[in-house]
Amino acid sequence: MAVKPAKKAAAKAAPKAAAKAAPKAAPKAKAVKADVITIKHIATGVAETHGLTKKQANEIFEEFVTAVVKGLKKGARIRLAGLGILQVRKRAARMGRNPATGESIKIKASKKVAFRVAKELKEAI
C-alpha cells in the first residue's frame, strides 16, 4: 500500500473543506404555476349555488365587467367590498432612456388602472 505525501492529501482536502464552510447560495425561486380562475369559472360556481343557468350567470358577470369599464372610463372609483378599489390614475409625461442605446426619450403622459387591496383581503391572504 502506497502512502500519499501529506502535502498532496492536504491540498485535495482544502477545496472540499472550503466548499463546506462557504455558505450556499439561496435556491432560485421556482416559478409556481398557479391555477387560473376566470370569470366563467366564478360564474359557474355562482350558478350552481344560486340555481341559475350557466348562461345567466355568465351574462351577469359580463354586465358587471361592462359596468366597471364604463365607470373607470368616466373617472369613477370602483369600490368592491372585501376586495379593494379600482381607479384610473394619470401618469405625467417624463424623460426615460432606451436601455439598448442609452438614448434619452420622452415618454408621453398616460393613464393606468390602479388597484388598492382592501384590508379584509390582505388579512385573508
Side-chain angles (χ1 to χ4, degrees):
M1 188 184 269
V3 177
K4 292 184 180 181
K7 286 184 180 180
K8 284 186 179 180
K12 284 187 176 181
K16 290 180 182 177
K20 287 182 182 178
K24 292 185 178 181
K28 291 183 180 178
K30 292 184 180 179
V32 177
K33 188 172 183 178
D35 292 331
V36 177
I37 299 174
T38 64
I39 291 177
K40 287 189 177 184
H41 292 117
I42 296 169
T44 301
V46 169
E48 290 172 0
T49 57
H50 292 286
L52 300 170
T53 65
K54 288 182 184 180
K55 184 176 180 180
Q56 289 173 327
N58 281 330
E59 288 174 0
I60 291 169
F61 278 97
E62 286 173 8
E63 285 295 319
F64 171 76
V65 171
T66 303
V68 168
V69 170
K70 283 182 182 178
L72 290 172
K73 281 185 178 180
K74 291 180 182 177
R77 291 172 55 188
I78 310 295
R79 182 178 298 232
L80 303 171
L83 291 178
I85 299 172
L86 286 164
Q87 68 182 28
V88 176
R89 292 193 181 151
K90 295 178 183 174
R91 297 188 68 173
R94 62 195 187 278
M95 293 301 292
R97 290 209 179 270
N98 180 339
T101 62
E103 175 187 356
S104 292
I105 57 172
K106 182 171 174 120
I107 301 170
K108 64 181 183 176
S110 62
K111 295 178 183 178
K112 70 170 190 163
V113 176
F115 179 72
R116 191 170 70 210
V117 181
K119 183 179 177 183
E120 295 87 5
L121 180 57
K122 283 183 190 177
E123 291 172 355
I125 295 177

